[in-house]
Amino acid sequence: MYKPKKIASVAVAAVLVAGLGLTPISSFANTSATDVPDTPVTITGVNDGDTVKFYQVFDADIDASNNLTYTTKVTGLPGAYDTAAEVAGKDGRTVADAIAPVVTAGTATYTATAAGGKVTQSLDSGLYLVTVTTTSGATKIYQTMLVNASPVVKNGQYAAATLENVEAKSQPVTPPNKTVVPADGSTSGKLTDSYSVGDTATFRIDTAVPSFPSDATHASFSVTDVPEAGLSLNKDSIKVYDGDGYKNPVGAESYEVVYNGDGGFTVKFKWDYLKGHAGQKVRVEYKSKVVSINVETGKVGNKAYGTFTPNPYEDKEVSTEPADPQVQTYGFVFKKVTPTGTALPGAEFTIANADGPVTYIDAAGNTHTDGKVVSDANGYVHVNGLHKGTYTVTETGVPAGYQKVDPFNISLDETDKGDSPATPNVTEKNFDVNTADVTDPKQGQLPTTGGAGTVAFTAGGVLLIAGGAVVVFRSRKRD
C-alpha cells in the first residue's frame, strides 16, 4: 500500500543525521544481509501511562553494493517531503508538522506505554515520526517528534547510530480554575459563606485555549460544569470572556453551549476560535440559585473540568481533574422551655436579618421562605442554610398560658461547627448550638371579681341592710 522510492546516497544519510538531528525506537528484523543492527532509543519527559507511537516514514537499507538507500513507507506525503532527499537538511519541526496528518492516519509501526517517565525501544533503520498521547487527567499536549535511526559510518563501515535520549516536548493545558464570587463582589475563591439558601451565586471558570498545530486533524477543547443537586442554573446568565481582565465577550459564533442532563452545561469552543487564540485566557461566568444544601456540612458546590484532544492527530479526548468550589452555610439551634425547664413545643419565632425574614431549611430538609419556625415536640428551634452574619430572633407565636421573650440576636460565622441536637439521625458540622435555654415565663394573674372575699363582703352588706330595715319597721310600729 505504499509507493517505494529509493535514493542511493551516503550523503543523504549524513544530511538526515546532521540536519534533522532526530531519534529512534522499535524492534524489527533487518531487511537485508548487509543491514545494521537495530538502534535503541529512549524517549523521556513523558508521564506514566502515556501512549507512545512510532511511525516509520522512510526505511533505511544497505544494498549489495554497500549503498545506503531509503524507501518511502507512507503514501500521500506532501510533495515537498515525500522522499528522504527532500526531507534532508530541512528543519525537523517544520517537517514533523507537515507530514503528521498523513503519517498518523496510518497504523503505527510500534506502540508502547510509558513507565517510569520514559519509553526505551529498538528501531529498525530509518526515519520515524513519534507521537505521545497523554492519559486522562494530564494537562499537556505533546508535540510530534522525528527520530532518525539511520545507519552511520564508523571505521569505514555502516553501523547502528548511537542515539541520545530524546525528551518529549509538550504544551501545557490549563485546567479550569473554578471559583465562587462572594456576594459583595470581592475577590472570588474556592469557598464563600456569603450566600444563604434562596440566594443566587455567581461562579467563574478560568482556563486557557490549548495550543494546537494549524494542520491538526483532531482539535477540540471544552469546559464542563457539573452542579450538585442544590444549585439551579440560570441558563440566560452564561457568558464567555477572553483577553486581559476578561472584559471582551467572545462572540456566540465561536462556541456552543450544550445543556447536560445533570443540570449542568458544556461550553464547546469551535475550531476557528481555537486555532486563532492559542494560549488565550478564557473565562466562563454564570449564576446559579442555591435551592438546597448538604444538611450535614451546610455546603453546596459544583465541579468544573476541561476536555481536550491530547494528540491533535488522533480522535481521542481526555479530561482534566475537576475543580470544586463551594458555598458554605450555617445553622443555629436553641431549646424553648417552661420556667421549670420542661420542653415547650409550639412556640413560633420569626428569623430576620437587615433584609427582612430569611429563607431557611428546617430539620426535615424542607425550605421555608417566610422566616417562621416553630419549636418541635422537644422544644428545639432548628434553622439551617444561612450565610455568615447576624440574625434577629423574635417570638411571634406564644403557647397559651405563657408570655413571649424579648427579641435576641444570633451571629453565625466560620467558628460555628456544632451538631444540632434537634436531628439525632444527622451529624451536622456547621451549627451554632445555644446551650442556654430560652424560657417563656408563665402568664401573670390579673385582678378578678367574684372571689370568696367578695362574697363575704356582699353577705355582710345584705345583713346590714336587713338590720336597718328591721329598725325602721319597729320605729314605725311604736309610733
Side-chain angles (χ1 to χ4, degrees):
M1 299 299 291
Y2 61 88
K3 298 182 294 183
K5 295 185 178 181
K6 294 196 175 184
I7 303 160
S9 172
V10 175
V12 171
V15 174
L16 276 174
V17 173
L20 294 177
L22 309 168
T23 335
I25 300 188
S26 133
S27 174
F28 299 97
N30 295 333
T31 57
S32 73
T34 54
D35 246 350
V36 300
D38 290 349
T39 302
V41 67
T42 298
I43 304 295
T44 63
V46 292
N47 293 336
D48 291 357
D50 287 350
T51 301
V52 183
K53 292 184 177 182
F54 306 90
Y55 299 83
Q56 190 179 44
V57 183
F58 302 112
D59 179 28
D61 290 312
I62 310 299
D63 65 16
S65 300
N66 203 35
N67 292 318
L68 177 61
T69 63
Y70 286 89
T71 302
T72 303
K73 302 290 289 184
V74 178
T75 301
L77 289 173
Y81 307 101
D82 61 355
T83 66
E86 290 167 323
V87 169
K90 294 183 179 177
D91 175 68
R93 178 77 268 138
T94 301
V95 174
D97 289 344
I99 68 175
V102 175
V103 173
T104 57
T107 302
T109 309
Y110 181 83
T111 300
T113 301
K118 63 183 180 180
V119 164
T120 300
Q121 198 64 44
S122 294
L123 295 178
D124 184 32
S125 299
L127 179 67
Y128 291 80
L129 180 79
V130 182
T131 67
V132 183
T133 303
T134 187
T135 55
S136 179
T139 55
K140 61 179 68 174
I141 297 175
Y142 289 99
Q143 294 181 358
T144 55
M145 297 170 284
L146 288 178
V147 174
N148 186 12
S150 297
V152 296
V153 178
K154 294 181 180 180
N155 299 322
Q157 298 292 327
Y158 283 113
T162 300
L163 300 176
E164 297 181 356
N165 293 350
V166 179
E167 182 176 2
K169 294 180 173 59
S170 61
Q171 295 287 340
V173 175
T174 304
N177 178 36
K178 181 72 176 293
T179 55
V180 54
V181 182
D184 61 6
S186 58
T187 303
S188 62
K190 296 294 183 184
L191 180 72
T192 181
D193 54 8
S194 60
Y195 296 105
S196 296
V197 172
D199 293 340
T200 297
T202 299
F203 293 91
R204 288 174 178 165
I205 307 172
D206 293 337
T207 185
V209 177
S211 296
F212 295 106
S214 60
D215 60 354
T217 56
H218 296 87
S220 65
F221 178 61
S222 62
V223 175
T224 298
D225 181 84
V226 183
E228 293 181 9
L231 293 174
S232 178
L233 172 67
N234 178 351
K235 294 182 178 180
D236 294 334
S237 70
I238 300 174
K239 307 294 181 185
V240 182
Y241 303 92
D242 66 10
D244 294 336
Y246 303 108
K247 296 179 180 179
N248 305 318
V250 176
E253 72 282 357
S254 297
Y255 63 90
E256 176 187 9
V257 179
V258 178
Y259 297 104
N260 306 323
D262 55 10
F265 64 93
T266 297
V267 175
K268 295 184 176 182
F269 293 93
K270 297 182 179 180
W271 172 233
D272 285 344
Y273 180 80
L274 295 178
K275 67 181 179 182
H277 295 80
Q280 174 67 61
K281 292 182 178 179
V282 177
R283 168 174 288 174
V284 178
E285 186 171 287
Y286 68 96
K287 299 180 184 298
S288 284
K289 185 176 181 179
V290 181
V291 295
S292 65
I293 58 171
N294 180 320
V295 295
E296 293 185 353
T297 64
K299 295 180 179 181
V300 65
N302 51 2
K303 294 180 174 64
Y305 60 87
T307 301
F308 64 98
T309 306
N311 184 338
Y313 305 105
E314 186 174 312
D315 187 12
K316 178 183 179 181
E317 293 182 330
V318 296
S319 297
T320 64
E321 292 294 332
D324 186 14
Q326 295 179 317
V327 171
Q328 172 70 66
T329 64
Y330 305 103
F332 66 81
V333 62
F334 61 83
K335 191 172 184 178
K336 186 66 172 174
V337 298
T338 68
T340 62
T342 303
L344 183 60
E348 180 190 86
F349 293 86
T350 298
I351 317 302
N353 58 14
D355 298 323
V358 302
T359 296
Y360 74 94
I361 293 178
D362 64 19
N366 300 312
T367 301
H368 300 262
T369 59
D370 58 3
K372 296 183 183 298
V373 56
V374 178
S375 58
D376 64 17
N378 297 313
Y380 288 118
V381 174
H382 171 108
V383 176
N384 201 359
L386 302 180
H387 63 65
K388 178 179 178 179
T390 300
Y391 298 86
T392 300
V393 181
T394 305
E395 191 168 9
T396 49
V398 187
Y402 295 90
Q403 299 183 61
K404 69 178 183 179
V405 297
D406 292 335
F408 58 94
N409 292 333
I410 293 179
S411 294
L412 302 177
D413 58 29
E414 61 276 2
T415 64
D416 296 313
K417 300 178 181 180
D419 174 30
S420 172
T423 54
N425 59 323
V426 178
T427 301
E428 290 93 355
K429 303 177 182 66
N430 63 316
F431 263 73
D432 179 312
V433 181
N434 193 336
T435 57
D437 294 337
V438 177
T439 305
D440 268 1
K442 292 284 286 186
Q443 183 74 46
Q445 296 294 322
L446 297 177
T448 59
T449 59
T454 304
V455 173
F457 283 118
T458 302
V462 172
L463 291 175
L464 287 174
I465 294 172
V470 170
V471 172
V472 172
F473 175 76
R474 287 181 178 177
S475 176
R476 287 181 178 176
K477 184 177 182 181
R478 195 178 291 122
D479 292 339

